[in-house]
Amino acid sequence: MAYEVAYNKNFGKWFLNDLIRAIEKYQMIQSGEKVAVALSGGKDSTTLLFLFHLLQQYSHLEFEFSAIHVKVADYNSEVLSTYCETLGIQYIEQTLDTGLDESDNVS
């Protein structure tokens, strides 16, 4: 079940209107396009994912998007999939085999 974000009219004033203008000016997203957002779990990618969620809900832009996370080590990424599930965003995870053992010391 997707989380319904309570829209604050100041979102547009503070940021979303500028974001929409930039997307349109530089033709970053075309109508009906599918967009992949790289999700590392850091504040930048998490914020970008949330902004795309707001744009999809409250702007005239029509696009689909998914979150993609590439695991490079053995760690729990459940918080990322839960975040995406909460927002109703498709989450794709791929594990990258680096060919290194945990005992290998990379300096």
Side-chain angles (χ1 to χ4, degrees), residues 67-86:
I68 300 176
H69 177 70
V70 178
K71 288 180 74 166
V72 294
D74 186 24
Y75 54 87
N76 186 351
S77 59
E78 186 176 338
V79 68
L80 299 177
S81 61
T82 301
Y83 179 66
C84 290
E85 183 180 321
T86 301

Side-chain angles (χ1 to χ4, degrees), residues 40-57:
S40 67
K43 59 187 172 187
D44 294 335
S45 64
T46 304
T47 301
L48 180 63
L49 192 70
F50 184 72
L51 290 173
F52 270 57
H53 176 68
L54 289 177
L55 286 174
Q56 193 175 49
Q57 284 190 340

